[in-house]
Amino acid sequence: MIPISSYNTVRELADRVRSNVGKVIVGKDELIDKLFIALVTAGHVLLDDVPGTGKTLLAKSLAKSVDCSFKRVQFTPDLLPSDLSGIYYFNQKVSDFEFRPGPLFTHILLADEINRATPRTQSSLLECMEERQISIDGVTHPLENPFLVIATQNPLEQQGTFPLPEAQLDRFLFKLSMGYPSADESVQILKRFKEETPLEQLKAAATIPELLDAREIAAKVYISDDVLKYIVDLAERTRKDDSIAMGVSPRGCQALLKAVQVQAVLEGRNFVTPDDIKYLAPYTWAHRILLKGTTRIRGGAGASEAVIDRILQETSVPTEEVVSP
């Protein structure tokens, strides 16, 4: 059994990352923690928000804070899969074909306005997001470890966009929103960026080996059979609910399991409680269900979260005696 000091190490790592990103991003500590969870669990994040709220700045700040390579791709209708993966080209100097890697070969990829690319280009991300590899001309290339896709999309402007297929939405660990800052936070932002950009002075607060160690430690967090059954019961309810056309997949259950293990560590525990599940389920599952009579474009976002909240309220919760080890 892993000593509690190891879990404290992961918690201290999260504190360092949160504090460091907070030097640039104002008032988004919970959002930063969820990005940290995504990094540790090898998940991906979909940021669904209007332009100008700091999505790109957040992704860059996270990459610099954990000493990771970062690349940004602006998704447009004319973007091709090879623009992401790379190509084999003929090098006349050596009279042979050589591989020129694309922006997918990085630790953190910002897929900006991902829903503006065609379905063909969107589908090229399926393999790399799930298996951390990409196949090009019959050759499989492993991607970096960790590998995190932070995709953004504008929920208001739908002209000229292509809704993400369900198979791709299911590969995102979280669907999050930056939201507008409060009045006080807006004043802090103006003061902070009045003379210089804090991102330029940002130094790394964590290393890749520390993240990979945190991944191994978090996977050992205890979760009782009753809490595992609680996750399954919730998923079963989404599959049988009269208002839901498509419920949570087994991949969605595994994603929630991994996320709540890290959340428990951030709360100072070495075991998962139902409260961890209640807290993260809406962020992990709302984009994975499809309500009857709605589409991803119209009427499905906030309503899905409300349905998940209702299911959480209607499902019986394991007692405290059977939760801890």
Side-chain angles (χ1 to χ4, degrees), residues 52-71:
T53 52
K55 299 185 292 293
T56 300
L57 193 62
L58 174 64
K60 289 182 178 179
S61 301
L62 179 69
K64 294 194 73 171
S65 294
V66 295
D67 198 22
C68 286
S69 57
F70 171 84
K71 291 181 181 177

Side-chain angles (χ1 to χ4, degrees), residues 116-130:
R116 292 199 174 278
T118 61
R120 178 187 177 191
T121 301
Q122 291 179 12
S123 64
S124 68
L125 291 173
L126 295 179
E127 180 185 10
C128 68
M129 292 177 68
E130 181 67 17

Side-chain angles (χ1 to χ4, degrees), residues 80-266:
L80 299 176
S82 59
D83 295 329
L84 296 173
S85 60
I87 60 171
Y88 280 94
Y89 74 100
F90 187 75
N91 189 336
Q92 294 183 344
K93 293 182 179 180
V94 297
S95 298
D96 199 1
F97 285 92
E98 291 185 358
F99 178 62
R100 178 180 295 163
L104 283 179
F105 291 86
T106 185
H107 289 113
I108 297 180
L109 172 71
L110 177 63
D112 211 357
E113 295 186 292
I114 187 173
N115 56 335
R116 292 199 174 278
T118 61
R120 178 187 177 191
T121 301
Q122 291 179 12
S123 64
S124 68
L125 291 173
L126 295 179
E127 180 185 10
C128 68
M129 292 177 68
E130 181 67 17
E131 302 175 35
R132 271 67 184 179
Q133 65 182 32
I134 189 72
S135 299
I136 307 167
D137 291 344
V139 180
T140 300
H141 300 266
L143 298 178
E144 300 289 349
N145 189 21
F147 174 68
L148 169 67
V149 175
I150 301 178
T152 72
Q153 63 179 12
N154 181 354
L156 301 180
E157 187 179 3
Q158 300 299 331
Q159 186 175 2
T161 63
F162 303 87
L164 298 181
E166 307 302 332
Q168 186 156 12
L169 284 171
D170 201 38
R171 281 164 168 78
F172 284 103
L173 175 65
F174 294 136
K175 182 180 179 182
L176 306 172
S177 175
M178 292 283 291
Y180 287 117
S182 65
D184 291 339
E185 291 170 349
S186 296
V187 172
Q188 294 183 44
I189 292 172
L190 293 178
K191 287 182 177 180
R192 185 172 294 184
F193 287 83
K194 179 169 66 71
E195 296 182 357
E196 59 184 9
T197 302
L199 180 65
E200 297 176 357
Q201 283 75 41
L202 201 64
K203 305 296 182 182
T207 63
I208 292 176
E210 286 179 311
L211 283 175
L212 299 181
D213 288 343
R215 182 177 298 175
E216 293 184 6
I217 293 171
K220 303 297 183 181
V221 170
Y222 176 79
I223 180 166
S224 68
D225 289 345
D226 292 273
V227 177
L228 288 174
K229 188 176 183 302
Y230 180 52
I231 294 177
V232 174
D233 288 345
L234 291 170
E236 285 289 333
R237 280 181 172 265
T238 67
R239 298 164 189 167
K240 298 176 181 178
D241 194 280
D242 291 337
S243 65
I244 299 177
M246 184 190 71
V248 174
S249 68
R251 184 193 286 123
C253 294
Q254 296 175 38
L256 181 58
L257 167 62
K258 293 179 181 179
V260 295
Q261 285 182 300
V262 183
Q263 179 64 30
V265 175
L266 298 187

